[in-house]
Amino acid sequence: MSGEGAKLQHLHALKHLALLGGTKRPVRISSREFAEALGASQQAASAALLDLLKLGFIKREITSRKQHITLTDAGVAALAHEHAELRRIFDPQKTVEIEGMVSSGLGEGAYYMAQEGYARQFEAHLGHRPVPGTLNLKLEGDELSKLQMLEAAKGIDIAGFTDKSRTFGGAKLFRCELGGLDGGVVLPLRTHHRDIMEIIARRQLRRALKLKDGDKVAVKVFV
Amino acid sequence: MSGEGAKLQHLHALKHLALLGGTKRPVRISSREFAEALGASQQAASAALLDLLKLGFIKREITSRKQHITLTDAGVAALAHEHAELRRIFDPQKTVEIEGMVSSGLGEGAYYMAQEGYARQFEAHLGHRPVPGTLNLKLEGDELSKLQMLEAAKGIDIAGFTDKSRTFGGAKLFRCELGGLDGGVVLPLRTHHRDIMEIIARRQLRRALKLKDGDKVAVKVFV
DNA sequence: ATTACTAATCATCGAGTAG
DNA sequence: TCTACTCGATGATTAGTAA
C-alpha cells in the first residue's frame, strides 16, 4: 500500500525528480541542488526524499558524496495518475450518451463491489473508491446498440481474480458522468445477453440524484 | 510575497474544478460538495475557492443557493503548465545533441534577458525565470547543420513586443539540458547568418559548470 | 562537502459558529 | 440550508547544527 498517504508536496517533489530524468536513469543530485529545483530549503528537500523513500516512490543509493535516485514503478504510477487526470481535462475525448431506465438489481452489484479485488482496481482507475452497489439502467432499442458499441470498444481492463471461496471474472470499465457526477460503467466479460448497464460511483447515485425506479437518466460515457 | 503565488493545494483544487468541467461551462457546486471532491472539509474548500478567486484562476457567481464557477484563462494556463511538465515526463521526445565552444558575447544577451517582456515568457515556458545573460556557444561544421535543423523545427513561440523606447523581435525557444541543468536555446527570429547558439538557464551556467572561453560543451536540445 | 536531526516558526486545516 | 469567519490543533518548513 505504498500509494496511500501521498501528499501534494510528495507528488510535487516526485515530479521534479522525474523531470530530472529519474524515470529512466538514476539522478545524481544533492539535497541542496534538489532544494533549488523545488524552491525550498535543503532540509525540506532532504525530508521530501525521506518521505518518498518511505512511500516507496523512489530508490536511493548514497555511494560517494551524492545520492543516486531512481523512481520506482509505484512512483511512476503515482505521476501517471496525475498525468491521466490532466489529459482528461485537456485532451478532448469521444463520448457516447446513453439513456436508460433506473431499475432495481438483484443486489448482486453490491456483492461484487464489496470484493476487495474489484474495489482496489476501480479505485486505481477512477481515482476514488466507489460505494458498494451499482445503479442499474435498463436499456431499450437504440440505446442497446450503443451498449453493443461499448462492448466492442477497448475500455479499461479490470482483471479477474480468485478468492478463497471462488473465482471472479474480469470486466471492462469506462469512465462516465451523469448528473454532474463522475463514475464508471462496468461491463463484466463473458456475459452474453445484456440489456442492463451497471454504474458505479463515488456516491450513492440513487440518493445523490434522487432517482427512483422507472426514472430515465442519460449517462455520458467516455470511450 | 504572500498574496501572489499559487501553492500546490491551489493547483489541486483547480484541477478538480477542471475535472468537473469548469474549463468549458460553469460548475454548479456547493462548498460542501466541492469539499467532498477534494477530500477535505467544507471550510478548506471554501477557503480554496477564495484563494483561487484572489489568484484570478476562477470566476464565480453566487446566484441563489449554489455558486457557478468557471476557470479563467489564467487558471487554465496554470493547469496547462502542469500538464506540459507531465507530458515531458511521459511522452518520449526527440533530442539533438549539439556541441559548441564557449565564447564571450557582446553582453547583448544580458540586455535582452533583462527585458521583462522576454523574461516573463521564458518563465512561463521553462518553469523558472532565467538569470539575465546567455551562454554563447560557437558552432562549427556538422554542428552548424544541426542548428539549421533547429531553425526548421517548430519550437516554442516567444512573441515580440514593444517597449516605450523600442521594438523587440520574436524568437523561438527550445528546452535543453547541459551538464545536468535544464535551460533553453533561444533563436531570435529574423537573424540571417548564425553560428552562435544562445542558452539561457536558471543559473549562471559559466559559474555553475565552471566554464571558460574555448571550452567545448554538449547541449541536449529537446525538439 | 554531504545528510538529516531537533527545535522553533509558520502555514494550513477543521470545528464551531455567525451572517 | 448556504458561505466564510475565528481560533486552536496539526503538520510542514526552516534555521541551526551534529555526524
Side-chain angles (χ1 to χ4, degrees):
Chain A
M1 285 308 238
S2 36
E4 283 316 306
K7 303 276 175 52
L8 294 178
Q9 69 269 25
H10 297 138
L11 289 176
H12 183 71
L14 198 61
K15 185 186 72 184
H16 276 278
L17 286 170
L19 284 170
L20 293 164
T23 55
K24 292 168 210 143
R25 73 198 109 79
V27 179
R28 187 170 166 278
I29 196 172
S30 72
S31 61
R32 181 73 203 82
E33 292 167 327
F34 187 42
E36 201 165 313
L38 288 178
S41 68
Q42 174 270 324
Q43 293 85 343
S46 178
L49 291 176
L50 288 173
D51 287 348
L52 288 175
L53 278 168
K54 212 175 298 171
L55 287 163
F57 285 175
I58 59 171
K59 280 180 301 200
R60 177 167 70 163
E61 278 181 52
I62 308 185
T63 46
S64 52
R65 299 179 70 81
K66 280 186 187 157
Q67 43 198 339
H68 292 61
I69 300 166
T70 320
L71 271 73
T72 62
D73 290 345
V76 174
L79 285 180
H81 179 250
E82 286 293 303
H83 187 214
E85 289 192 322
L86 288 166
R87 274 218 319 267
R88 272 177 53 216
I89 294 168
F90 288 105
D91 299 349
Q93 5 183 10
K94 288 172 198 154
T95 63
V96 194
E97 190 136 332
I98 303 182
E99 196 181 73
M101 200 175 70
V102 177
S103 67
S104 291
L106 305 165
E108 291 177 340
Y111 169 67
Y112 287 108
M113 292 301 299
Q115 300 303 319
E116 183 60 19
Y118 285 131
R120 199 172 38 222
Q121 291 185 72
F122 290 142
E123 184 177 16
H125 293 292
L126 296 179
H128 55 80
R129 180 165 287 243
V131 294
T134 62
L135 177 72
N136 295 329
L137 295 187
K138 178 156 185 150
L139 308 186
E140 288 176 352
D142 226 31
E143 308 303 314
L144 264 177
S145 67
K146 292 185 195 166
L147 181 58
Q148 278 152 25
M149 212 203 60
L150 279 191
E151 315 245 19
K154 187 92 170 49
I156 303 165
D157 223 56
I158 301 297
F161 56 94
T162 301
D163 195 286
K164 264 165 237 159
S165 48
R166 56 162 285 193
T167 292
F168 293 86
K172 208 152 57 166
L173 175 72
F174 292 90
R175 286 188 156 274
C176 73
E177 190 185 297
L178 74 165
L181 300 172
D182 66 320
V185 173
V186 184
L187 303 182
L189 303 179
R190 284 186 287 280
T191 302
H192 291 297
H193 173 68
R194 175 172 14 220
D195 63 352
I196 296 275
M197 186 164 71
E198 294 185 281
I199 298 171
I200 60 179
R202 180 201 308 256
R203 297 166 58 187
Q204 243 267 38
L205 290 170
R206 258 172 202 271
R207 193 186 311 150
L209 302 175
K210 298 187 175 53
L211 297 173
K212 53 187 189 306
D213 276 10
D215 286 352
K216 294 234 170 188
V217 288
V219 186
K220 195 192 288 182
V221 185
F222 301 99
V223 183
Chain B
M1 300 279 224
S2 46
E4 281 307 306
K7 304 274 175 52
L8 295 178
Q9 70 268 25
H10 297 140
L11 288 175
H12 184 70
L14 198 61
K15 184 186 73 182
H16 275 278
L17 286 170
L19 284 170
L20 293 164
T23 54
K24 293 170 211 141
R25 71 200 111 77
V27 179
R28 186 170 166 279
I29 195 170
S30 72
S31 62
R32 182 72 201 81
E33 291 167 326
F34 186 42
E36 201 165 313
L38 287 178
S41 68
Q42 174 270 322
Q43 292 86 341
S46 178
L49 292 176
L50 288 174
D51 288 346
L52 289 175
L53 278 168
K54 213 175 299 172
L55 287 163
F57 285 174
I58 59 171
K59 280 180 301 201
R60 176 168 70 165
E61 279 180 51
I62 307 185
T63 47
S64 52
R65 302 178 66 83
K66 279 185 188 158
Q67 42 198 339
H68 291 61
I69 299 166
T70 320
L71 271 73
T72 62
D73 289 346
V76 174
L79 285 180
H81 179 249
E82 285 292 303
H83 187 213
E85 289 191 323
L86 287 166
R87 271 216 319 267
R88 272 177 52 217
I89 295 168
F90 288 104
D91 300 348
Q93 6 183 8
K94 288 170 198 157
T95 64
V96 194
E97 190 136 331
I98 303 183
E99 197 181 71
M101 201 177 67
V102 176
S103 67
S104 290
L106 305 166
E108 291 178 342
Y111 169 68
Y112 286 109
M113 291 301 299
Q115 299 303 320
E116 183 61 19
Y118 285 131
R120 200 173 34 222
Q121 291 185 71
F122 291 141
E123 185 177 16
H125 292 293
L126 296 179
H128 55 80
R129 180 165 287 241
V131 293
T134 62
L135 177 72
N136 295 330
L137 294 186
K138 179 157 183 148
L139 308 186
E140 288 176 354
D142 226 31
E143 307 303 314
L144 264 177
S145 66
K146 291 185 194 165
L147 182 58
Q148 278 152 25
M149 212 202 62
L150 280 192
E151 314 246 19
K154 187 93 171 48
I156 302 166
D157 224 53
I158 301 297
F161 57 94
T162 301
D163 195 287
K164 267 165 235 162
S165 48
R166 55 162 288 191
T167 293
F168 293 86
K172 208 151 61 166
L173 175 72
F174 292 90
R175 288 190 154 272
C176 72
E177 190 183 299
L178 75 167
L181 299 173
D182 65 322
V185 173
V186 183
L187 303 181
L189 303 179
R190 285 187 286 282
T191 301
H192 291 298
H193 175 66
R194 178 175 5 226
D195 62 353
I196 297 276
M197 186 164 73
E198 295 185 281
I199 299 172
I200 60 179
R202 180 201 308 256
R203 297 166 60 186
Q204 243 267 40
L205 289 172
R206 259 173 202 272
R207 194 186 311 150
L209 301 177
K210 297 186 177 53
L211 297 174
K212 54 186 186 307
D213 277 10
D215 285 354
K216 294 236 171 189
V217 288
V219 187
K220 195 192 287 181
V221 185
F222 300 98
V223 184

